Amino acid sequence: MRILGSLLLLSFALPAQELKEPYRAAAQKLIDAALKDEGGMEKMAWLCDRIGHRLSGSKGYDQAVQWAAEQMKRDGLENVATPPVKIPHWVRGQESLEMVEPRRQAIAMMGLGGSVATPKEGITAEVVAAKDFEHLKALGREKVAGKIVFFDVPFESYRKSVAYRGTGASAAAKLGAVGMIMRSAGVATRNQPHTGSLRYEEGVAKVPAAALGEEDAQLLSRLLSGGVAVKVNLKMEAQTLPDHDSAQVIGELRGREKPEEVIVIGGHLDSWDAGTGAHDDASGCIAPWQAVVLMKKLGLRPRRTIRVVLFANEENGLRGGNAYRAMIGAEIKNHVAAIEMDGGAEKPVGFGVTANEKAMAQVTAIGALLDPIGAGKITAGGGGADIGPITREGVPAFGLRTVGERYWEWHHTAADTLDKIVPEDFRKNIAAIAVMSYVLAEMPERLGQ
């Protein structure tokens, strides 16, 4: 069986290696154009600096939809549309956290998305620390009821920390807690709290929840571990309004021979209200969009359609990805691949890919066309939240990968602003998506067939 498997891999690898040669010239043109491009950064500046944050339901989000659709038309994209989608509308309002015992000090915090409010006067309560969910259970109702639970869990990985952000409030409320605070789900920088969504468990009391800046979180940790009683006052005006009628944005470069077959590329247009969502995810919208603009400028119209989708509501609901799946209906069978960029715009290294064995060999060959900019590495396992509804049904999934050196410092914080985008790295992201999507759309046969 091992010999047979090796022979199968070799049979895929040989034609796959030949696959890249017809596209080498076009790939180099796209790379050269991307590395000199100014239009992408101009769009980034407009979206981040002029429109600003784009939380679902906000004025900024609706402005972004209108601007993007109008600009796509000016860029000459085809079939530009703004399909409607109802999105959540959570508003942060004013918020604060103050330590009142053993002394008074303002604590850096941000409410978690979807949190309920406190009473107007806030909640004043003692703080009890939990090292993890098991420790919380061991504390029991006697030590938790009437207090604010502090999940004192240092950031090791987003996957680990996001579990406390997502379900920590309900876990605390089950034991009678009146609130939840946590160390931020991100790398500690300058007492900067990170926000993000929580999920309340049905049938469990909803308590207000917030994330703390790292230095202040460590202060609370030292006091509590030293046996000092800590009392805080938490004030939050957060509210969830009725769902908002909005839209997402679609534009295409129609295929010259097989326009019904589609490669989807894009990211999410919404952002959190901290910062302006430059890395998360303005870059993931603008880079794919600009990749198609460059194809048009170079006269490179592939066999298949490349569809740019700026998805709605990734951050706190995934309504956009689900609405797109519902919109295309049976046409999902014509979706050849989906590429999502939602990991920031640091220097790209390649793509994570979820596809069959033959497709992986083909994509590895395509990736070699990106070796000149260091973005040719293809690894197994890729995709994204917005394309999840279609890729779970078998559409090959691609996720652009970067070095990720500082992304978790900026993610969901007030620091996610345009100045964190390195133009040279951003242009390489445009190049990587341009080459990959163009070849997938130009190949004579569908990927993996």
Side-chain angles (χ1 to χ4, degrees), residues 128-130 132-149 151 167-180 201 203-207:
V128 58
D132 52 34
F133 286 121
E134 290 302 313
H135 184 206
L136 176 68
K137 290 179 182 178
L139 289 171
R141 177 172 287 272
E142 182 180 349
K143 294 182 179 179
V144 171
K147 298 180 180 179
I148 293 175
V149 168
F151 280 108
T167 64
S170 290
K174 286 179 181 179
L175 296 176
V178 295
M180 185 276 279
E201 186 176 331
V204 177
K206 296 179 179 180
V207 299

Side-chain angles (χ1 to χ4, degrees), residues 317-402:
L318 295 175
R319 302 277 185 88
N322 289 318
Y324 181 79
R325 173 62 188 95
M327 182 189 79
I328 62 174
E331 295 306 309
I332 191 172
K333 66 181 183 297
N334 291 326
H335 279 55
V336 174
I339 303 174
E340 183 165 342
M341 180 176 168
D342 189 17
E346 294 176 271
K347 185 180 183 299
V349 296
F351 292 86
V353 181
T354 302
N356 65 32
E357 193 173 50
K358 183 174 182 180
M360 290 298 294
Q362 292 171 324
V363 174
T364 298
I366 298 169
L369 296 169
L370 292 166
D371 285 342
I373 60 170
K377 185 178 181 181
I378 305 300
T379 54
D386 289 308
I387 61 176
I390 64 172
T391 58
R392 284 192 290 271
E393 296 187 42
V395 177
F398 291 64
L400 183 65
R401 300 285 186 256
T402 76

Side-chain angles (χ1 to χ4, degrees), residues 98-143:
E98 183 184 20
M99 182 171 68
V100 295
E101 291 182 9
R103 60 182 176 83
R104 289 191 173 274
Q105 177 179 320
I107 302 294
M109 60 80 76
M110 275 206 296
L112 299 183
S115 176
V116 295
T118 66
K120 186 175 181 179
E121 68 277 10
I123 296 172
T124 299
E126 290 187 16
V127 177
V128 58
K131 298 298 183 183
D132 52 34
F133 286 121
E134 290 302 313
H135 184 206
L136 176 68
K137 290 179 182 178
L139 289 171
R141 177 172 287 272
E142 182 180 349
K143 294 182 179 179

